[in-house]
Amino acid sequence: GQQLNQSPQSMFIQEGEDVSMNCTSSSIFNTWLWYKQDPGEGPVLLIALYKAGELTSNGRLTAQFGITRKDSFLNISASIPSDVGIYFCAGLDRGSTLGRLYFGRGTQLTVWP
Amino acid sequence: NAGVTQTPKFQVLKTGQSMTLQCAQDMNHEYMSWYRQDPGMGLRLIHYSVGAGITDQGEVPNGYNVSRSTTEDFPLRLLSAAPSQTSVYFCASSYSFVSPYEQYFGPGTRLTVT
């Protein structure tokens, strides 16, 4: 199957700091997605990217679809305590007969007040 | 509009027992899928369905069966539970499997097999 490498594995930051995380793949994806998971809940979609080079924002979150189509990154500006959670990248494999979503292993974000 | 619902929320099974995890959505979504989440592993696709009567295997299908008799429901069956199936299971749905690919996830079922 597809391998998505997400880094860092965990981050401990102070409230107000900016955060960066990224995801790389061994193969090309047509769509990159970023999800956030709160404890005890299912993942919630934050940002979807559909074109190489695309830069998309959602409030304090900004994500980019890498030009090579093998990577994506997510930035969170001016972090707040409710940003705590696990952030997952996911790539959509449109090359298969039916689109299949592959997930990274997640970045655990902790924000200190 | 309840979105994606899953039952039960927690379940403990003994090795060899069978059970069905329920998943339902009320958004008239074509695409439904089951994932398992293990610590440090992200989410891995078990089975998916692109419509009533149509299912296919994902990345880790062994030990699980699915069927899709209606648009709304997509149950996951464990035929003979094993400790390796201890995990958190998420059901997800989306309007279509083509872009835009916004999947909505249920709250999850936490399964322990002893």
Side-chain angles (χ1 to χ4, degrees):
Chain A
Q2 307 281 8
Q3 295 292 321
L4 265 65
N5 297 309
Q6 187 172 348
S7 64
Q9 196 170 12
S10 61
M11 300 184 75
F12 298 84
I13 62 169
Q14 198 121 32
E15 184 177 357
E17 288 184 358
D18 296 343
V19 171
S20 287
M21 59 191 78
N22 67 79
C23 205
T24 60
S25 166
S26 56
S27 9
I28 290 171
F29 285 122
N30 300 99
T31 299
W32 282 95
L33 306 166
W34 285 92
Y35 286 84
K36 182 191 178 204
Q37 184 179 27
D38 291 324
E41 304 288 332
V44 174
L45 182 66
L46 298 173
I47 292 180
L49 302 157
Y50 303 109
K51 289 192 306 187
E54 180 180 355
L55 186 71
T56 298
S57 294
N58 178 6
R60 293 177 297 105
L61 277 62
T62 302
Q64 185 156 26
F65 192 144
I67 293 173
T68 66
R69 294 198 285 161
K70 291 185 178 181
D71 59 355
S72 178
F73 73 79
L74 176 70
N75 281 348
I76 304 173
S77 62
S79 57
I80 59 178
S82 62
D83 290 334
V84 165
I86 304 177
Y87 292 79
F88 291 100
C89 62
L92 176 60
D93 176 12
R94 297 280 300 278
S96 61
T97 304
L98 296 167
R100 187 175 292 186
L101 204 58
Y102 293 89
F103 282 82
R105 296 189 175 191
T107 294
Q108 173 74 61
L109 178 64
T110 302
V111 180
W112 300 101
Chain B
N1 196 336
V4 180
T5 58
Q6 291 183 239
T7 56
K9 198 163 177 59
F10 300 96
Q11 182 71 49
V12 179
L13 290 178
K14 289 187 179 353
T15 296
Q17 286 185 317
S18 63
M19 80 158 295
T20 300
L21 308 186
Q22 302 291 344
C23 174
Q25 52 87 12
D26 60 359
M27 298 175 280
N28 201 33
H29 283 173
E30 289 183 349
Y31 188 94
M32 297 185 73
S33 52
W34 277 101
Y35 294 87
R36 60 177 288 173
Q37 183 178 34
D38 301 302
M41 290 294 295
L43 288 91
R44 292 182 292 170
L45 183 65
I46 305 172
H47 285 284
Y48 63 96
S49 168
V50 297
I54 307 170
T55 64
D56 204 351
Q57 296 181 351
E59 193 181 347
V60 287
N62 292 341
Y64 308 95
N65 273 1
V66 292
S67 60
R68 183 107 178 260
S69 54
T70 67
T71 301
E72 294 78 21
D73 301 297
F74 191 43
L76 178 72
R77 281 182 286 277
L78 283 71
L79 302 177
S80 178
S84 60
Q85 293 179 305
T86 293
S87 188
V88 182
Y89 291 85
F90 289 101
C91 178
S93 74
S94 67
Y95 178 73
S96 172
F97 56 86
V98 296
S99 177
Y101 196 72
E102 184 166 341
Q103 286 201 33
Y104 295 87
F105 282 81
T109 294
R110 189 173 296 273
L111 175 68
T112 302
V113 182
T114 60

